[in-house]
Amino acid sequence: GNSVTQMEGPVTLSEEAFLTINCTYTATGYPSLFWYVQYPGEGLQLLLKATKADDKGSNKGFEATYRKETTSFHLEKGSVQVSDSAVYFCALRVNAGNMLTFGGGTRLMVKP
Amino acid sequence: DAGVIQSPRHEVTEMGQEVTLRCKPISGHNSLFWYRQTMMRGLELLIYFNNNVPIDDSGMPEDRFSAKMPNASFSTLKIQPSEPRDSAVYFCASSLQGSYGYTFGSGTRLTVV
């Protein structure tokens, strides 16, 4: 089956620190990969995506590279801000199907 | 575009009462998803519809839960009778089948006392 595994949170960083949130996946088929972000009191929002191997998705200073050889899609940001505090979800979709499979989410807390 | 609209934003009800959550998807989207989010279990898919037809309801916890989509612009999730363990945030999301992203609503926070 399809599954997504994320690192356990919470991740607590100081402002301007480097961020990595690990995400690995298993998929029956060729997946597209996504990162969603959930700010407090809100629904999930698409942050970035990559649809084929070696693609890099990027948005708002966040990046993730689709690594087929390691089945990973780690989220990175060079310098986090307090406003980045949120829960981050890694997700995949296989082939032309419409279902997203989500990871368990990783809470990020950035302190000033 | 107003996005996915859910109502109410907050609902507090007594155990045993019927609860109805509502969702209006984005116009033109033909897939709709109901999720439940709790601290203990994270984000769980309850049911999803394609073109108003329920495709997979294997995530619906038990017969107390039911969902309908009478037309392309409206869906309901009903819990009867409600129990304290149903307390959670319920999200609705919609998408255009074959596209990459879901658009989530802001959620309904349900508290059953």
Side-chain angles (χ1 to χ4, degrees), chain B residues 65-84:
Chain B
F65 285 69
S66 62
K68 295 182 180 180
M69 192 165 186
N71 57 62
S73 59
F74 185 66
S75 176
T76 59
L77 178 67
K78 183 180 294 186
I79 308 172
Q80 183 184 18
S82 59
E83 297 182 2

Side-chain angles (χ1 to χ4, degrees), chain A residues 98-100, chain B residues 3-6 21-35 45-57 60 66-77 90-99 101-105:
Chain A
N98 203 33
M99 286 294 302
L100 281 176
Chain B
V4 175
I5 300 173
Q6 292 187 245
L21 312 181
R22 298 172 175 81
C23 175
K24 177 179 169 55
I26 289 176
S27 177
H29 282 188
N30 58 356
S31 295
L32 184 140
F33 307 82
W34 282 102
Y35 283 88
L45 177 65
L46 300 178
I47 185 171
Y48 83 94
F49 297 83
N50 278 350
N51 297 314
N52 312 337
V53 176
I55 302 301
D56 185 351
D57 66 354
M60 296 286 261
S66 62
K68 295 182 180 180
M69 192 165 186
N71 57 62
S73 59
F74 185 66
S75 176
T76 59
L77 178 67
Y90 291 81
F91 287 103
C92 175
S94 71
S95 75
L96 186 61
Q97 191 171 2
S99 69
Y102 290 7
T103 301
F104 280 78

Side-chain angles (χ1 to χ4, degrees), chain A residues 1 28 42 49 92 103-104:
Chain A
T28 55
E42 299 182 12
K49 68 179 187 291
L92 68 82

